[in-house]
Amino acid sequence: MSFFPGETVTENAAARVVRGVGELRAALVPARRAGQTIGLVPTMGFLHDGHASLLRAARAECDVVVMSLFVNPTQFGPNEDLDRYPRDEERDLRVASEAGVDLVFAPTVEEMYPDRAATTVEVSGNLTSVLDGDPSRRGAAHFRGVTTIVAKLFNIVGPDVGYFGQKDAQQAAVIKRMARDLSFPLRVEVMPTVREEDGLAMSSRNVYLEPADRLRAVAISRALAAAEQQALALDSLDAGLAAARIELAAAAIEPEYLEARDAETLEPAEHLRAGRPVLIAVAAQVGGARLIDNVLVEPIAD
Ligand code: PAF
C-alpha cells in the first residue's frame, strides 16, 4: 500500500532506526569507506507528501539516505506548540521505509542536547531578524534553534547533500548561509513546495485546522498566485502585494506579514529584475494554525 496518493510503491526494506549519535556514525562508516554519497533529510516527523518529495529526491540522487526524526525543542518559543506538535513515529517509519530511506535517526532530546549544551550556532543579521525572525514574531531565537540542530545533524551524519523545502523559504536561506559560512562540505538542495489539490501548502501543522478554517486557509495560496500574476503582469511588486491583500481580506485573513524580499538576502525588494528572484512571503494565523507560505517571482529575461 502507498501512503502517497498516485504513486506506485515498490517494496523497500524497512528503514533501520538508530537512536544514538555513536550508533549512527558507526552505521555510516562502511558507506563512507566505500565512497558512497549520503543524503540527509532532516524532519520533525508527522510526515506528509512534502517530506516524501525530499525523501524521493534524496533516494534518486544519493547512495545512502538518512532521515532524521526529531522534534527540536530549541526552535520553539515558550508560547509555541512544542507540547502539542503532532507526532506519529510508527507511521513515519512506515512512510520512510516506503520512500526507501536506509537509516532513520530518531534521537531523544537528551541525546541531542546532553548536559544542557552551552553552544549554539547563529546566523546573524537580516536573514534571521526579518519575517519570522522579527522579535514580535518567532524571533531570531527560532532560527538559532534551527541552525544549531541542523549544524549538529550535518556534523553527525556528514551528508553530501542536505534536503529542505521551499515552503520554509527563510529557513532554507538561513541554512544555506550557515553551510557556506561554516564551510560544511555539502550541497543544500531546496525542493519545491508540495500542495494539496486546492493549493494549500502541505504542513504538519495543517492538522490544527478545523474544517471551516481549512477552507479559508486556501486563500493564502490563492493570494500568492494573485500576487505573482499581478506583479508580473504590471511589472510591479506593489500591485502584486495589493492583489494578495484583497484575496486574504476576502477570507477574513489578517496576515502577520506579507512582504516582497530578495530571495537570497531577504533585503526588501522594490522592483522585479531578471536573474534576481523575489520572494513574496506570507504568515497568518488561521484558526488554530499559524501558516506560512511563499512564492518566488522572477520576470523572464527578454
Ligand atoms: O523544517 C523542519 O522540519 C525543521 O525546522 C528542521 C529543519 C527539521 C530542523 O529541526
Side-chain angles (χ1 to χ4, degrees):
M1 190 187 107
S2 167
F3 289 94
F4 310 126
E7 193 197 3
T8 314
V9 170
T10 50
E11 283 301 311
N12 282 313
R16 175 175 161 197
V17 184
V18 173
R19 310 248 174 218
V21 170
E23 196 192 342
L24 181 65
R25 287 205 167 109
L28 288 169
V29 166
R32 220 179 295 289
R33 285 218 181 104
Q36 292 187 316
T37 54
I38 299 172
L40 170 66
V41 182
T43 81
M44 296 207 300
F46 213 68
L47 303 182
H48 50 70
D49 208 34
H51 297 108
S53 75
L54 307 183
L55 297 173
R56 284 194 290 264
R59 183 67 287 162
E61 290 178 359
C62 302
D63 297 316
V64 178
V65 178
V66 181
M67 180 186 97
S68 62
L69 177 47
F70 180 63
V71 181
N72 173 35
T74 66
Q75 69 189 75
F76 289 78
N79 300 319
E80 292 186 21
D81 55 343
L82 174 61
D83 290 342
R84 65 183 188 120
Y85 194 82
R87 292 162 168 87
D88 188 345
E89 184 177 299
E90 206 181 300
R91 180 181 170 281
D92 288 342
L93 296 181
R94 286 203 305 270
V95 172
S97 298
E98 283 201 352
V101 170
D102 298 298
L103 286 165
V104 173
F105 179 47
T108 59
V109 172
E110 294 68 36
E111 182 72 10
M112 290 310 275
Y113 295 110
D115 304 326
R116 295 166 169 260
T119 307
T120 56
V121 177
E122 181 165 354
V123 173
S124 61
N126 192 57
L127 279 179
T128 54
S129 61
V130 301
L131 301 176
D132 264 24
D134 185 287
S136 68
R137 297 169 193 145
R138 304 194 79 182
H142 162 68
F143 290 107
R144 191 188 315 127
V146 170
T147 41
T148 300
I149 197 68
V150 172
K152 283 171 71 74
L153 291 168
F154 283 174
N155 278 328
I156 294 165
V157 175
D160 296 277
V161 192
Y163 294 85
F164 299 87
Q166 172 63 23
K167 185 175 101 47
D168 296 303
Q170 184 171 17
Q171 168 174 286
V174 170
I175 289 169
K176 272 188 173 173
R177 184 62 199 256
M178 175 196 76
R180 201 175 81 195
D181 287 353
L182 296 184
S183 308
F184 278 106
L186 53 82
R187 178 162 60 85
V188 173
E189 191 66 50
V190 182
M191 302 299 294
T193 302
V194 177
R195 298 182 178 280
E196 303 287 355
E197 263 178 29
D198 62 5
L200 180 69
M202 290 197 182
S203 164
S204 304
R205 288 188 168 100
N206 289 351
V207 291
Y208 298 153
L209 290 167
E210 295 294 339
D213 294 323
R214 169 67 187 77
L215 289 176
R216 275 199 313 136
V218 183
I220 293 180
S221 56
R222 251 199 330 260
L224 291 169
E228 180 182 26
Q229 198 268 330
Q230 284 295 94
L232 290 174
L234 302 178
D235 191 24
S236 161
L237 288 169
D238 283 346
L241 293 174
R245 266 185 227 108
I246 290 170
E247 288 289 346
L248 293 174
I253 294 175
E254 176 69 41
E256 255 180 50
Y257 60 77
L258 169 67
E259 294 179 29
R261 292 186 171 267
D262 180 275
E264 192 185 326
T265 64
L266 300 189
E267 292 292 344
E270 261 138 46
H271 305 288
L272 284 167
R273 277 192 293 151
R276 208 65 231 181
V278 169
L279 178 79
I280 298 186
V282 61
Q285 189 73 34
V286 181
R290 182 180 185 274
L291 303 177
I292 59 170
D293 199 354
N294 65 81
V295 68
L296 284 176
V297 185
E298 190 183 353
I300 297 161
D302 326 292

